[in-house]
Amino acid sequence: MTIKRPRSLKWSLVMRIALLQCAMLTLIIVGILGAMLATGLIPHDYEDGTMDVLADAVARDAGGKLALNETPDMAKLRSGVPDLWFIIRDKQGQRLQEGTVPTVFQPFVGLLDTISDARIDPTLGQAAPPGGKIRWTDTAAGNVQIFSGTKGGLSLMRLLGQAPQFFLQGILPLAGLMALATLFATPWVVRGALSGLGHAAAEAGRIDVDQRGVQLPLKDVPLEVTPLVKAVNAALSRLDKGYERHKRFLTDAAHELRTPVAILNTRLASLPATPERARLLQDAARLSTLTDQLLDLQRLDRQAAAFEKVDLVAIARSVIVDLAPMAFSAGYEMSFEPERETVFASGDRTAIERAVTNLVQNAIEHGGRSGKITVSIAAPAVIEVRDEGGGVPLSERERVFEPFYRLRPQDHGAGLGLNLVQEIMQLHGGRIEILDGKPNGACFRMSFRAFDIDANRN
């Protein structure tokens, strides 16, 4: 399946404007000619009507002599001009004459050899049209001289027959010049007219999942495109409202779950110690963890942008102290490797502590229940949690951060732990990445923004 390339607005406008200009020029010229024909202006001033008809009708017979074909225009000319007269002659001396040359033009008959073109009229001054004309012209019989009156009118068919040549020689070059000007002017006009749309597109490119309430600017957007921008803004508003309803539902559900989960834990704790009670306590712990994670997600969503100076070493040490008993009971060794005594970052202590806790719990869950879990701190503000388990395949390293996604369907987690870590890193402007462990297993690296002492002094 081939993907059709998008059409260029610039070239589309250039082509359409050029065609429109060409059509408008043609219509204007045709309209002018039609108006002149309708008002009789052209027939009144046109003085070559008779000569045009004679030039089309003259030919040579089988013997090579000049002859006159009885064309429809010739018949119309005879009926319209009863006193029609003319003399047609070629350079070889052959002569074709019809009608009686008026007395006033008789002196010019003997001077035809010495006259090339002439307008003759017995009245004083320049007549329009003159009484007679002399002209050499190209015909089917060759170049001939025609001496005739000027009572014939303009032939509409002749006028239409000249239209293609007039179009090629007059309208088309003019339309080409206008199209060339349009080619250079249109990009400048389009850029200016759509500058506001470009700003809206740039703003749309900055919209992300963690940025809500964003609206595309309407300033300088063309009127024709405004409905589209407004529709996009309305869609963004609906998405924001839907997202808020979704988050509110999760928060309400998490709050509602806390009480029954607490009651369930209390009742389970009062039961006799049996393997079934241990499994039930584990399931209840999962529900409690899920509830806490949902509430953490909601708290992060409302987290203020102002962070404080936090010590990553102190946070990681606190997490290890809390989770070491769980790791030991699961069959692991714990190792803490700070590069310095203190490594400071800018952030929220509770959120960072939750992120480190989730990564250590993830290592306990997926580390294969053997080997060592290592938490290391490095400058400028990096925390790594490594295990010696089966690792995370390259093809899954992006998906494990999706909410409710579990690498192994039989896992006991809800699939929100790593997603919460990613949310925390996005909130702090850092990043979370998965590397290969040494010598095996998985390494989760969190890179925070280091605390800038000089910036905070100012």
Side-chain angles (χ1 to χ4, degrees), residues 129-208:
K133 286 196 69 172
I134 301 173
R135 188 183 74 187
W136 284 91
T137 185
D138 292 326
T139 67
N143 190 253
V144 299
Q145 186 183 45
I146 301 176
F147 181 22
S148 70
T150 58
K151 293 184 178 181
L154 177 64
S155 171
L156 180 60
M157 295 305 297
R158 172 178 290 276
L159 182 64
L160 294 177
Q162 296 297 322
Q165 182 178 0
F166 179 71
F167 178 82
L168 293 175
Q169 296 181 353
I171 297 178
L172 195 60
L174 184 59
L177 290 175
M178 296 179 69
L180 190 61
T182 302
L183 175 63
F184 289 99
T186 299
W188 176 75
V189 173
V190 169
R191 279 195 300 270
L194 300 183
S195 60
L197 188 60
H199 297 155
E203 189 67 25
R206 289 191 287 268
I207 296 177
D208 205 348

Side-chain angles (χ1 to χ4, degrees), residues 271-452:
L271 295 176
T274 62
E276 182 64 24
R277 173 180 175 271
R279 285 193 296 269
L280 290 175
L281 285 173
Q282 187 179 21
D283 292 337
R286 288 178 55 198
L287 286 175
S288 180
T289 301
L290 174 60
T291 302
D292 292 340
Q293 288 174 341
L294 290 175
L295 291 175
D296 282 340
L297 284 173
Q298 181 62 16
R299 190 180 70 85
L300 282 175
D301 191 57
R302 297 178 179 177
Q303 182 69 38
F307 294 136
E308 60 182 356
K309 177 182 177 182
V310 294
D311 183 2
L312 299 183
V313 175
I315 292 175
R317 182 181 289 113
S318 175
V319 172
I320 291 176
V321 170
D322 291 339
L323 297 182
M326 181 187 301
F328 295 152
S329 64
Y332 297 100
E333 296 179 19
M334 289 292 294
S335 175
F336 183 46
E337 299 176 356
E339 186 179 88
R340 301 177 181 175
E341 288 296 325
T342 56
V343 174
F344 294 109
S346 177
D348 177 73
R349 178 182 178 86
T350 303
I352 296 176
E353 187 174 346
R354 167 60 72 180
V356 179
T357 299
N358 285 358
L359 291 183
V360 174
Q361 288 178 337
N362 182 77
I364 294 173
E365 179 72 26
H366 302 286
R369 299 190 175 274
S370 64
K372 183 188 296 184
I373 295 176
T374 304
V375 179
S376 60
I377 314 296
V382 177
I383 300 178
E384 289 186 354
V385 177
R386 300 189 299 273
D387 61 61
E388 298 177 358
V392 181
L394 284 174
S395 59
E396 301 287 337
R397 291 184 181 180
E398 292 293 332
R399 299 201 61 191
V400 294
F401 294 106
E402 297 177 4
F404 302 106
Y405 180 80
R406 292 186 293 180
L407 182 60
R408 299 171 183 86
Q410 67 272 20
D411 291 344
H412 298 293
L416 281 177
L418 293 181
N419 175 253
L420 181 60
V421 174
Q422 186 179 55
E423 293 280 348
I424 292 171
M425 297 311 297
Q426 289 178 350
L427 177 69
H428 286 76
R431 68 178 187 276
I432 174 74
E433 51 189 334
I434 303 176
L435 308 175
D436 292 328
K438 296 179 180 179
N440 54 7
C443 174
F444 287 81
R445 174 184 292 171
M446 294 186 295
S447 301
F448 294 89
R449 290 180 179 176
F451 184 77
D452 191 342

Side-chain angles (χ1 to χ4, degrees), residues 70-134:
E70 196 64 23
T71 62
D73 286 342
M74 192 68 209
K76 184 177 180 180
L77 179 63
R78 292 183 190 280
S79 61
V81 184
D83 55 345
L84 177 66
W85 63 270
F86 59 83
I87 298 174
I88 303 175
R89 51 196 298 272
D90 61 13
K91 295 178 182 180
Q92 289 75 34
Q94 294 188 28
R95 185 185 184 105
L96 185 64
Q97 182 174 350
E98 184 175 322
T100 302
V101 179
T103 304
V104 68
F105 299 128
Q106 286 290 342
F108 296 95
V109 175
L111 300 175
L112 291 178
D113 288 343
T114 59
I115 298 176
S116 175
D117 292 287
R119 301 171 76 254
I120 308 169
D121 195 86
T123 59
L124 184 64
Q126 184 176 2
K133 286 196 69 172
I134 301 173

Side-chain angles (χ1 to χ4, degrees), residues 210-273:
D210 57 346
Q211 294 181 351
R212 289 174 293 281
V214 179
Q215 294 283 286
L216 303 184
L218 287 170
K219 183 181 178 181
D220 298 330
V221 173
L223 182 63
E224 293 80 5
V225 188
T226 298
L228 175 61
V229 178
K230 288 183 176 179
V232 172
N233 285 336
L236 290 174
S237 297
R238 291 193 297 271
L239 290 174
D240 288 340
K241 292 178 181 178
Y243 183 83
E244 288 301 326
R245 286 195 300 269
H246 172 70
K247 298 293 287 186
R248 202 160 45 244
F249 168 77
L250 290 178
T251 304
D252 294 342
H255 279 292
E256 290 295 327
L257 280 173
R258 296 187 76 177
T259 300
V261 168
I263 296 173
L264 180 61
N265 279 323
T266 301
R267 291 180 178 178
L268 290 176
S270 64
L271 295 176

Side-chain angles (χ1 to χ4, degrees), residues 44-79:
H44 177 75
D45 291 336
Y46 192 66
E47 57 191 43
D48 289 332
T50 301
M51 284 196 170
D52 289 341
V53 174
L54 293 173
D56 289 341
V58 69
R60 294 188 183 273
D61 58 16
K65 296 182 179 180
L66 293 175
L68 201 64
N69 295 326
E70 196 64 23
T71 62
D73 286 342
M74 192 68 209
K76 184 177 180 180
L77 179 63
R78 292 183 190 280
S79 61

